[in-house]
Amino acid sequence: MTRDLTKGSPMRNILGFAVPIFLGLLLQQVYNLADTVIVGRFVGADALGGVGSTNSLNFLVLGSCIGLCMGFGIPAANAFGAGDYARLRRYVANSVYVCAALGAAIMAVVLIFCRPILSSMHTTAETYDYAYGYIHWIFWGIPFVMLYNMTSAVIRAVGDSKSPVLFLAIAAGINVALDLAFILILRMGVEGAAIATDLSQGISGALCLIYLRRKLPILRMQPGDRAFSWRIAGHLVENGLPMALQYAVTAIGSILLQSAVNALGTVYVNAAALSGKLYQMLACPYDALGTTMATYAGQNTGAGQPARIRRGLGAAMLISAVCSAGFFLAARYFTPQMCALFLSDPQPDVVALAQRQLLAFALASFLLAGVNVYRFTLQGIGYSYLAIVSGVIEMIARALAALAVVPALGFTGVCLASPAAWVFADCFLVPACYLCLGRLKKRLQEAARVRALAENAAP
């Protein structure tokens, strides 16, 4: 099933496309939530802290892989919006080759340097073995992560945001069952949680691949479509690498901040791990809107409709305002209950610190929405390098917080670091996005003028 986002109400299109992605992101959180809930309840608070302390490193590596694959979807969305299905199929075939090569290379590198990175982050002695045991096995699943995200990006590029959710739901159920089996029955600890995640992620990727091959007629390969092309592969990397770097530079700032948290002590590490897990769940609407805007902007760029992209930005930010109100209410009134999901006997001081950080995130969540919406729109219209600049701005803000604010203000500095990073990123992204839309409009008008002159000059 395909969906054309270049026609109809922008609000209706964005909502209709974003809701399935939001549900899929929630299901993706089930992978991590299942790990942390079962680890926290049946292995212990230090094990939970160890798993949680890998969040920023996890985001650096897997986020970069996901960003790379999402970037591959942008040329596919452009081709679909322009109605060039032969070019679309060549992009899909070459995406498979590039993902296979890069996935193997990335996995090899991070497995070699996993221990040194954890040590450089000042991971506490109580949580170090848990952190390494978990993240080491998570990184063995990098090829599965890339398979799922590459195939789901292609499926979304042609307007289908629902099918990947179905496959993810199946895999999430399998992940929970495997978590329980590996941890409660086989006593495999945090390593069992990571292996369960890897296996279930591989299943979701395989299901997407089968669907892509069998159920989308416009993607059925014709003679010559499967041929590897350095030009096409280069164009894919040109779109994917900036998005991967965007995730990477943002994650580097988070790693520096996590190192500052680790230096505060185990109680603060556990509190930050709890609030981080809750934040990942409550921020899913903004991630869904960002992914939606990449496809929406990509299709409408291919169709030559910059004014429609502007209307989509307004609709996305209006949806974000409603989501931000929900985020605040959840953080203000339900944090203790949500923390109880992870620990059978939550420590009051850990819960209080976690709620403090989560409220800071909630109050600034509309700023986070702006970062995602405008950054991914820039990706979709072809200005990926500006998205990297915004990521560098976020990294610098978090690094300054880790080096100066946290030592001075303690955990208060940790709470303020991300909101400050979002402020600085938005100050760059919002004007940059509208300036680039203006450039896109002029470029399209000039192309139309050249075509008209050529047609008038023809005999």
Side-chain angles (χ1 to χ4, degrees):
M1 175 183 171
T2 60
R3 181 172 185 168
D4 190 346
L5 301 177
T6 65
K7 302 173 183 176
S9 164
M11 174 67 81
R12 189 176 300 112
N13 276 330
I14 289 171
L15 266 177
F17 197 82
V19 168
I21 295 176
F22 166 68
L23 295 174
L25 289 169
L26 279 181
L27 286 170
Q28 227 165 9
Q29 291 305 317
V30 169
Y31 285 107
N32 292 329
L33 286 175
D35 290 351
T36 50
V37 168
I38 295 172
V39 165
R41 284 183 168 270
F42 299 105
V43 185
D46 287 343
L48 175 62
V51 172
S53 69
T54 65
N55 283 347
S56 53
L57 178 57
N58 197 338
F59 180 66
L60 169 65
V61 177
L62 299 190
S64 298
C65 294
I66 292 169
L68 186 74
C69 296
M70 289 176 64
F72 291 174
I74 291 172
N78 291 159
F80 180 79
D84 190 346
Y85 301 144
R87 181 160 58 101
L88 170 63
R89 289 190 293 271
R90 291 195 293 273
Y91 279 134
V92 173
N94 280 268
S95 293
V96 175
Y97 308 142
V98 175
C99 276
L102 291 180
I106 293 169
M107 182 180 70
V109 171
V110 297
L111 286 174
I112 292 171
F113 291 101
C114 188
R115 279 192 183 276
I117 293 172
L118 286 175
S119 298
S120 68
M121 291 173 62
H122 307 294
T123 304
T124 62
E126 296 90 344
T127 61
Y128 185 93
D129 288 340
Y130 293 119
Y132 177 76
Y134 180 77
I135 201 65
H136 172 79
W137 282 104
I138 283 291
F139 287 160
W140 276 103
I142 285 174
F144 297 148
V145 171
M146 295 194 72
L147 174 64
Y148 171 75
N149 284 281
M150 184 276 293
T151 51
S152 62
V154 170
I155 293 170
R156 285 194 299 268
V158 300
D160 182 359
S161 60
K162 296 178 181 178
S163 298
V165 178
L166 174 62
F167 306 140
L168 202 57
I170 295 170
I174 293 171
N175 182 54
V176 173
L178 291 177
D179 267 338
L180 292 170
F182 290 168
I183 294 176
L184 296 184
I185 299 174
L186 299 180
R187 303 294 181 183
M188 295 172 65
V190 293
E191 292 84 354
I195 294 170
T197 298
D198 293 340
L199 293 175
S200 52
Q201 188 81 291
I203 290 170
S204 63
L207 290 172
C208 279
L209 183 61
I210 293 169
Y211 177 82
L212 187 147
R213 289 168 57 89
R214 296 185 180 180
K215 299 297 183 180
L216 294 176
I218 62 172
L219 295 180
R220 289 176 185 162
M221 298 292 167
Q222 305 298 318
D225 289 342
R226 292 189 178 89
F228 176 77
S229 165
W230 285 106
R231 181 182 61 82
I232 292 175
H235 187 51
L236 289 168
V237 173
E238 182 184 351
N239 280 269
L241 189 58
M243 195 172 282
L245 289 174
Q246 165 198 314
Y247 276 88
V249 294
T250 302
I252 290 170
S254 297
I255 287 175
L256 293 172
L257 188 59
Q258 181 66 52
S259 298
V261 174
N262 291 344
L264 294 176
T266 302
V267 171
Y268 295 97
V269 170
N270 292 345
L274 268 177
S275 63
K277 291 299 181 183
L278 296 176
Y279 159 77
Q280 288 173 3
M281 183 171 58
L282 294 173
C284 281
Y286 312 123
D287 294 332
L289 284 169
T291 302
T292 296
M293 290 307 296
T295 301
Y296 178 88
Q299 285 196 14
N300 281 282
T301 297
Q305 300 191 73
R308 184 174 171 81
I309 298 174
R310 285 178 176 266
R311 294 197 299 273
L313 284 169
M317 293 310 296
L318 182 59
I319 297 168
S320 297
V322 176
C323 295
S324 295
F327 194 153
F328 174 78
L329 291 174
R332 174 66 180 81
Y333 296 106
F334 299 104
T335 297
Q337 292 84 347
M338 291 188 290
C339 288
L341 291 172
F342 298 96
L343 294 170
S344 57
D345 186 22
Q347 301 172 5
D349 52 346
V350 172
V351 173
L353 289 169
Q355 184 167 33
R356 187 170 154 195
Q357 186 174 25
L358 199 62
L359 277 171
F361 290 162
L363 290 171
S365 59
F366 189 71
L367 299 171
L368 170 63
V371 172
N372 281 3
V373 168
Y374 285 96
R375 177 182 286 164
F376 281 92
T377 298
L378 280 170
Q379 294 277 6
I381 63 179
Y383 290 89
S384 300
Y385 68 94
L386 293 178
I388 297 176
V389 174
S390 72
V392 171
I393 291 171
E394 280 195 76
M395 180 189 71
I396 293 172
R398 287 194 175 93
L400 290 174
L403 296 173
V405 180
V406 175
L409 300 179
F411 197 70
T412 299
V414 177
C415 296
L416 295 176
S418 289
W422 300 334
V423 169
F424 287 114
D426 278 333
C427 287
F428 172 80
L429 282 167
V430 176
C433 188
Y434 285 109
L435 283 172
C436 290
L437 283 172
R439 291 180 184 177
L440 176 63
K441 181 179 179 181
K442 290 179 181 178
R443 191 168 73 237
L444 292 170
Q445 288 174 340
E446 179 63 20
R449 187 182 68 82
V450 170
R451 284 196 303 269
L453 288 174
E455 290 171 358
N456 290 334

